[in-house]
Amino acid sequence: MEGNNSVPASSPCGIGTLGRHLARRLVQIGVKDVFSVPGDFNLTLLDHLIAEPELNLIGCCNELNAGYSADGYARAKGVGACVVTFTVGGLSVLNAIAGAYSENLPLICIVGGPNSNDYGTNRILHHTIGVPDFSQELRCFQTVTCTQAVVNNLDDAHELIDTAISTALKESKPAYISISCNLPGVPHPTFAREPVPFFLAPKASNQLGLEAAVEAAAEFLNKSVKPVIVGGPKVRVAKAQHAFVELANACGYPIAVMPSGKGLVPEHHPNFIGTYWGAVSSSFCGEIVESADAYVFVGPIFNDYSSVGYSLLIKKEKLIVVEPNRVTIGNGPSFGWVFMTDFLSALAKKLKKNSTALENYHRIYVPPGVALKREKDEPLRVNILFKHIQEMLSGNTAVIAETGDSWFNCQKLHLPENCGFEFQMQYGSIGWSVGATLGYAQAAKDKRIIACIGDGSFQVSVHINCEIKFSTVVIFLLLKIRIHDGPYNVIKNWDYTGLVNAIHNGEGKCWTAKVKTEEDLTEAIATATSTHKDSLCFIEVFVHKDDTSKELLEWGSRVSAANSRPPNPQ
């Protein structure tokens, strides 16, 4: 009988309960803000999270944006978390979790699940697709998370939760935890004491493999004439930023960054030469990288986007690839269980100083030209806009770049020391930046966030919170640029500042402006950085629909050509 399976009364203060344990665990790993959408399967769990004094619950307008916000939070804080309800919420957040997986972000996705008594029955539950099978959500998450835990029994709940969280942190990938809705408030002996803080044992390289990899790489590089180093996005997952700089300082090679690694390589470093992105690289950077006789790519991801439609002029026999846990030299050999930080630090001690490629770069480099003269009240141009954005940057700012032309314009920004930079290149989900901006701002309370977003992306993911009191955001909303013409790319023109003002509705601090000329822009930036420096500043920028970066035109044509390849003959 069901009555025999009834659970004890909930603990009034949450001591010794699953809900209390989970809340404390999140705080211990560095999560102070949880992004959530309430639903009847997660309400009791949310009560316990709210009861934790060191945890702040942030309600979101939908699950997708809760996931995007947790993604942005994880980028700034190292780990993020969101809470949604069963299936109808889980499947909505799935796209954001997939994006976090692609970007190697530890993100704890917590779902309020069915009552524990409903498992193993033929009951049909609401919020599902109408079949007595509760595994649909789990099966979907298995492909976009590194571990999954379905908690429907208190006896093993402690182990399942801790294992899932520690796995996400160790693998730097999202984890899925489903918790039956009737369990968070039930006392259980396994939760009787304060959770013991995690200690994640550091991974140690295979010493013999490390020594062999360093010896082979040093021999390869020391006999080269003009080697270079290129940093990629997996520098983040390996936590190898300091080791990367250590290597750069020791060897004297020029350092470049792949587009998806921007922000992970110090651009104030004297050896920095720009973004390597094949045909759309920074001026003179592509020539130096592709003419090198040896290149070390640290943590790269080579996909159709980063390779500009598979058009990079990189030869495998000249290439050393340093993965988070493996090193491959040329066409071989390959050394496994060799970790990036260990390898870079050890290699730094074995390389001869060689600045030939850097000297070549300085020899051919020509500084950027001065912006064209303009007439008074001339319509604003994108290059003028980004000249002013560049002047806003400091070590107290961070840039969030949305998919589209903002990718290319923001790549041209020179990041001062400690200036953050984030965009989602691997997954490229349109609208990601709107939620991610909120999450990043929640985590990086000491920085002013500058977000560059196209109007189409903004329409996909409207998610504005005007009550951000601890960190301020400046959003520049630009026209979405087309990379392939078609009627489906025609976007309804909204009154964006009117929309934001309506969302604001007098609660919190918010200021909006419409900008059509450089005079308007100068005035708006001055206001945003003075009178309204503590506000969410939303600046709607009007530019010509064909004012497109040359890099996007080049990149778009090459990627489009790669996508349009006819089928191989069978």
Side-chain angles (χ1 to χ4, degrees):
M1 295 288 292
E2 184 177 311
N4 295 331
N5 295 325
S6 61
V7 295
S10 297
S11 169
C13 59
I15 302 300
T17 63
L18 182 160
R20 161 75 174 174
H21 177 84
L22 179 60
R24 291 302 302 155
R25 271 285 181 247
L26 292 175
V27 170
Q28 285 177 349
I29 64 174
V31 174
K32 299 298 178 70
D33 301 280
V34 177
F35 303 89
S36 69
V37 177
D40 53 354
F41 285 115
N42 69 14
L43 297 179
T44 303
L45 177 60
L46 294 180
D47 287 339
H48 282 78
L49 299 183
I50 291 172
E52 168 53 53
E54 294 185 61
L55 207 57
N56 181 33
L57 200 67
I58 300 173
C60 297
C61 57
N62 59 52
E63 291 85 2
L64 179 61
N65 280 315
Y68 285 157
S69 297
D71 173 307
Y73 191 93
R75 289 166 183 268
K77 199 83 167 180
V79 61
C82 59
V83 182
V84 300
T85 197
F86 184 57
T87 305
V88 68
L91 298 190
S92 289
V93 80
L94 194 68
N95 186 55
I97 303 304
Y101 189 96
S102 77
E103 299 281 322
N104 299 294
L105 299 172
L107 195 162
I108 315 301
C109 181
I110 303 162
V111 176
N115 186 291
S116 62
N117 299 302
D118 288 327
Y119 282 91
T121 69
N122 277 326
R123 292 173 178 151
I124 296 175
L125 296 183
H126 69 289
H127 287 341
T128 70
I129 59 173
V131 296
D133 176 4
F134 305 156
S135 66
Q136 180 199 19
E137 178 183 84
L138 171 64
R139 295 197 307 274
C140 292
F141 274 93
Q142 284 173 335
T143 62
V144 296
T145 55
C146 67
T147 185
Q148 306 83 36
V150 177
V151 180
N152 54 25
N153 187 311
L154 284 171
D155 289 339
D156 61 357
H158 188 291
E159 178 186 0
L160 290 175
I161 290 172
D162 282 5
T163 300
I165 292 175
S166 60
T167 302
L169 295 175
K170 285 188 289 188
E171 298 192 17
S172 199
K173 294 282 189 183
Y176 164 84
I177 303 175
S178 172
I179 298 176
S180 287
C181 59
N182 59 327
L183 298 186
V186 181
H188 193 272
T190 56
F191 302 118
R193 58 157 292 159
E194 176 82 3
V196 177
F198 273 137
F199 173 74
L200 299 178
K203 294 179 180 178
S205 296
N206 174 342
Q207 191 59 34
L208 293 177
L210 174 61
E211 292 171 3
V214 169
E215 181 181 348
E219 181 184 2
F220 185 90
L221 293 168
N222 283 335
K223 69 182 182 184
S224 63
V225 177
K226 43 184 181 178
V228 299
I229 305 174
V230 183
K234 291 184 182 179
V235 169
R236 186 207 302 271
V237 66
K239 297 179 173 60
Q241 289 96 322
H242 291 301
F244 184 96
V245 173
E246 183 182 351
L247 177 63
N249 289 341
C251 67
Y253 304 173
I255 58 173
V257 64
M258 297 184 75
S260 51
K262 189 175 176 70
L264 301 175
V265 171
E267 300 187 9
H268 63 281
H269 195 283
N271 295 14
F272 183 74
I273 63 171
T275 298
Y276 174 64
W277 201 351
V280 293
S281 298
S282 303
S283 299
F284 312 106
C285 176
E287 294 87 334
I288 294 299
V289 172
E290 292 183 344
S291 66
D293 58 342
Y295 12 74
V296 183
F297 276 75
V298 182
I301 293 179
F302 295 110
N303 60 21
D304 54 338
Y305 272 14
S306 66
S307 68
V308 197
Y310 316 112
S311 65
L312 297 185
L313 301 179
I314 295 294
K315 294 181 169 57
K316 191 174 181 182
E317 62 269 19
K318 299 179 181 180
L319 173 65
I320 295 179
V321 176
V322 185
E323 296 286 356
N325 60 358
R326 175 173 293 276
V327 175
T328 302
I329 299 173
N331 290 315
S334 188
F335 303 90
W337 210 251
V338 173
F339 293 104
M340 186 182 290
T341 50
D342 296 338
F343 174 78
L344 297 179
S345 294
L347 182 62
K349 300 175 177 63
K350 296 288 187 178
L351 293 184
K352 299 174 184 175
K353 200 90 169 180
N354 185 341
S355 58
T356 302
L358 187 61
E359 292 164 8
N360 286 345
Y361 172 75
H362 290 308
R363 188 175 296 112
I364 67 172
Y365 178 76
V366 177
V370 179
L372 296 174
K373 291 183 179 180
R374 59 176 183 80
E375 302 297 326
K376 181 174 171 43
D377 296 326
E378 176 187 322
L380 184 64
R381 295 196 299 270
V382 171
N383 60 345
I384 298 296
L385 168 65
F386 277 87
K387 178 174 77 78
H388 285 272
I389 292 176
Q390 176 69 66
E391 293 169 356
M392 296 176 69
L393 301 187
S394 71
N396 298 319
T397 59
V399 177
I400 308 288
E402 176 56 72
T403 302
D405 205 24
S406 292
W407 276 5
F408 300 89
N409 288 307
C410 288
Q411 281 292 331
K412 299 174 190 175
L413 295 172
H414 186 74
L415 304 182
E417 186 173 3
N418 295 323
C419 180
F421 187 94
E422 298 293 345
F423 77 135
Q424 189 196 61
M425 186 173 184
Q426 172 60 39
Y427 201 56
S429 184
I430 291 176
W432 159 84
S433 67
V434 186
T437 296
L438 170 65
Y440 195 99
Q442 291 284 137
K445 299 179 182 179
D446 58 336
K447 290 187 182 292
R448 185 153 215 199
I449 317 304
I450 299 170
C452 300
I453 305 171
D455 54 352
S457 300
F458 186 77
Q459 288 188 13
V460 168
S461 184
V462 176
H463 187 51
I464 298 294
N465 188 329
C466 299
E467 296 186 305
I468 302 175
K469 298 183 176 66
F470 40 75
S471 181
T472 54
V473 175
V474 180
I475 294 177
F476 289 97
L477 186 82
L478 289 81
L479 175 70
K480 179 179 181 291
I481 307 297
R482 300 188 298 269
I483 63 169
H484 181 90
D485 283 323
Y488 36 77
N489 269 326
V490 177
I491 300 166
K492 175 68 176 174
N493 189 23
W494 293 0
D495 178 2
Y496 294 98
T497 54
L499 174 65
V500 172
N501 285 327
I503 295 172
H504 169 221
N505 197 26
E507 296 183 9
K509 295 181 179 180
C510 179
W511 176 76
T512 64
K514 294 180 185 286
V515 165
K516 296 183 178 180
T517 66
E518 186 176 5
E519 288 83 1
D520 295 343
L521 178 65
T522 303
E523 182 180 344
I525 291 176
T527 303
T529 53
S530 58
T531 310
H532 291 283
K533 64 181 180 181
D534 296 324
S535 302
L536 166 64
C537 298
F538 185 91
I539 302 174
E540 185 178 355
V541 181
F542 292 83
V543 294
H544 193 280
K545 67 182 180 66
D546 293 325
D547 188 353
T548 309
S549 66
K550 68 180 183 64
E551 290 83 4
L552 174 58
L553 296 173
E554 171 81 11
W555 176 87
S557 65
R558 288 176 181 263
V559 171
S560 179
N563 288 343
S564 303
R565 288 168 295 162
N568 290 327
Q570 300 299 315

